Amino acid sequence: MIQVEDLHHGFKGTDILRGVNLRVESAETLVIIGRSGGGKSQLLRLIASLAKPRRGRIFIDRQDWVPLEERTLTPLRKKIGILFQNAALFDSMTVYENVAFPLAISGRNSKRDIRGRVEEALKLVSLEGHGHKKPGEISGGMRKRAGLARAIIDRPSIVLYDEPTAGLDPVIADSINNLILKLSEQFHVTSIVVTHDMVSAYKVADRIGMLYEGKILESGTPAEIQNSQNPVVQKFIQGRSDVLVDI
Ligand SMILES: Nc1ncnc2c1ncn2[C@@H]1O[C@H](COP(=O)(O)OP(=O)(O)O)[C@@H](O)[C@H]1O
Ligand SMILES: [Mg+2]
């Protein structure tokens, strides 16, 4: 479903990503772990084709999206939903308007259609009855759920999650993990989850890949990663370092 080959990208001449290769099968969940500033958010943005890489290929459903022009990409992008690191809601709009936004701008749907879809999405993330509130009036966990409702409103086959549990208490974080599992199990969504949260990683992952020095250093099932002989991997998953907090 997703295949990334030899991806290079960075800013001001220095590449942060230096040859990323990864593959996610249909309906599989790949968790990407790695230190802050290592390029995880950048990698998700490239996969969602919100930016062009300096080099490399990104196949979605066997088609390389890297050479495609904006005009061709626009309709394709609806295959991918993205939950941004800070949920990225519009503060001046209600939760309802935020969730409806992707449908409203596409101009393909009637008002009534939109209402039905938004209500369905809000229910899925347990936000029924909160549609009229502004993002500033709800908790961090609710904002993430609203962001997730918006990410899936156009029924994407791929969902990318950037730090979905960061800043949440363990109970609320677990409800987000359950939502990730639900989307994967009920709707067979193909997912990439970027996280520092190893509890979340073990719970939602089919496979885990560690991004280190611009490459996927190691990948495998949660059990394989837990038993990794690589000291860098061990140090990270046991939290024996200073790199766990994303500031
Ligand atoms: N638009 C940008 N311009 C310049 N540098 C950036 C930009 N976006 C990210 N970076 C830098 O790229 C690196 C990787 O960032 P990011 O992908 O956000 O890492 P992560 O999500 O793993 O914490 C960081 O050093 C960051 O400062
Ligand atoms: Mg990030």
Side-chain angles (χ1 to χ4, degrees), residues 235-236 238-245:
K235 196 171 159 189
F236 187 87
Q238 294 174 24
R240 285 190 291 112
S241 69
D242 57 349
V243 297
L244 288 174
V245 184

mmCIF file of all heavy atoms in Angstrom, residues 235-236 238-245:
data_model
loop_
_atom_site.group_PDB
_atom_site.id
_atom_site.type_symbol
_atom_site.label_atom_id
_atom_site.label_comp_id
_atom_site.label_asym_id
_atom_site.label_seq_id
_atom_site.Cartn_x
_atom_site.Cartn_y
_atom_site.Cartn_z
ATOM 1 N N LYS A 235 18.391 1.367 23.913
ATOM 2 C CA LYS A 235 18.473 2.595 24.691
ATOM 3 C C LYS A 235 17.183 3.402 24.508
ATOM 4 O O LYS A 235 16.628 3.926 25.462
ATOM 5 C CB LYS A 235 19.684 3.395 24.197
ATOM 6 C CG LYS A 235 20.132 4.484 25.128
ATOM 7 C CD LYS A 235 21.461 5.049 24.645
ATOM 8 C CE LYS A 235 21.671 6.429 25.230
ATOM 9 N NZ LYS A 235 22.804 7.123 24.650
ATOM 10 N N PHE A 236 16.723 3.464 23.290
ATOM 11 C CA PHE A 236 15.516 4.247 23.017
ATOM 12 C C PHE A 236 14.274 3.617 23.634
ATOM 13 O O PHE A 236 13.502 4.290 24.324
ATOM 14 C CB PHE A 236 15.307 4.433 21.504
ATOM 15 C CG PHE A 236 14.177 5.377 21.215
ATOM 16 C CD1 PHE A 236 14.402 6.746 21.147
ATOM 17 C CD2 PHE A 236 12.875 4.916 21.072
ATOM 18 C CE1 PHE A 236 13.359 7.635 20.932
ATOM 19 C CE2 PHE A 236 11.822 5.800 20.861
ATOM 20 C CZ PHE A 236 12.069 7.159 20.784
ATOM 21 N N GLN A 238 13.918 1.575 26.039
ATOM 22 C CA GLN A 238 13.919 1.547 27.503
ATOM 23 C C GLN A 238 13.928 2.948 28.097
ATOM 24 O O GLN A 238 13.946 3.113 29.308
ATOM 25 C CB GLN A 238 15.139 0.763 28.015
ATOM 26 C CG GLN A 238 15.074 -0.709 27.661
ATOM 27 C CD GLN A 238 16.360 -1.419 28.059
ATOM 28 O OE1 GLN A 238 17.081 -0.972 28.939
ATOM 29 N NE2 GLN A 238 16.656 -2.519 27.385
ATOM 30 N N GLY A 239 13.989 3.957 27.238
ATOM 31 C CA GLY A 239 13.973 5.328 27.730
ATOM 32 C C GLY A 239 15.253 5.724 28.437
ATOM 33 O O GLY A 239 15.262 6.654 29.239
ATOM 34 N N ARG A 240 16.331 5.020 28.134
ATOM 35 C CA ARG A 240 17.608 5.354 28.790
ATOM 36 C C ARG A 240 18.339 6.435 28.011
ATOM 37 O O ARG A 240 19.416 6.222 27.478
ATOM 38 C CB ARG A 240 18.476 4.095 28.895
ATOM 39 C CG ARG A 240 18.015 3.134 29.968
ATOM 40 C CD ARG A 240 19.011 2.025 30.219
ATOM 41 N NE ARG A 240 19.121 1.081 29.114
ATOM 42 C CZ ARG A 240 20.176 0.948 28.344
ATOM 43 N NH1 ARG A 240 21.230 1.695 28.524
ATOM 44 N NH2 ARG A 240 20.174 0.064 27.375
ATOM 45 N N SER A 241 17.698 7.596 27.854
ATOM 46 C CA SER A 241 18.373 8.657 27.121
ATOM 47 C C SER A 241 17.640 9.962 27.364
ATOM 48 O O SER A 241 16.659 10.017 28.074
ATOM 49 C CB SER A 241 18.398 8.340 25.630
ATOM 50 O OG SER A 241 17.087 8.438 25.128
ATOM 51 N N ASP A 242 18.104 10.983 26.718
ATOM 52 C CA ASP A 242 17.518 12.312 26.929
ATOM 53 C C ASP A 242 16.631 12.706 25.757
ATOM 54 O O ASP A 242 16.397 13.866 25.540
ATOM 55 C CB ASP A 242 18.643 13.325 27.083
ATOM 56 C CG ASP A 242 19.560 13.321 25.881
ATOM 57 O OD1 ASP A 242 19.443 12.397 25.044
ATOM 58 O OD2 ASP A 242 20.378 14.241 25.759
ATOM 59 N N VAL A 243 16.180 11.739 24.982
ATOM 60 C CA VAL A 243 15.532 12.108 23.729
ATOM 61 C C VAL A 243 14.028 11.846 23.721
ATOM 62 O O VAL A 243 13.390 11.926 22.701
ATOM 63 C CB VAL A 243 16.161 11.363 22.528
ATOM 64 C CG1 VAL A 243 17.596 11.764 22.369
ATOM 65 C CG2 VAL A 243 15.998 9.859 22.681
ATOM 66 N N LEU A 244 13.467 11.568 24.897
ATOM 67 C CA LEU A 244 12.080 11.124 24.872
ATOM 68 C C LEU A 244 11.030 12.235 24.828
ATOM 69 O O LEU A 244 9.911 12.006 24.462
ATOM 70 C CB LEU A 244 11.795 10.218 26.092
ATOM 71 C CG LEU A 244 12.462 8.856 25.942
ATOM 72 C CD1 LEU A 244 12.286 8.056 27.204
ATOM 73 C CD2 LEU A 244 11.872 8.105 24.753
ATOM 74 N N VAL A 245 11.419 13.423 25.227
ATOM 75 C CA VAL A 245 10.401 14.462 25.302
ATOM 76 C C VAL A 245 10.473 15.360 24.076
ATOM 77 O O VAL A 245 11.505 15.923 23.758
ATOM 78 C CB VAL A 245 10.569 15.301 26.574
ATOM 79 C CG1 VAL A 245 9.445 16.315 26.683
ATOM 80 C CG2 VAL A 245 10.596 14.400 27.797
#
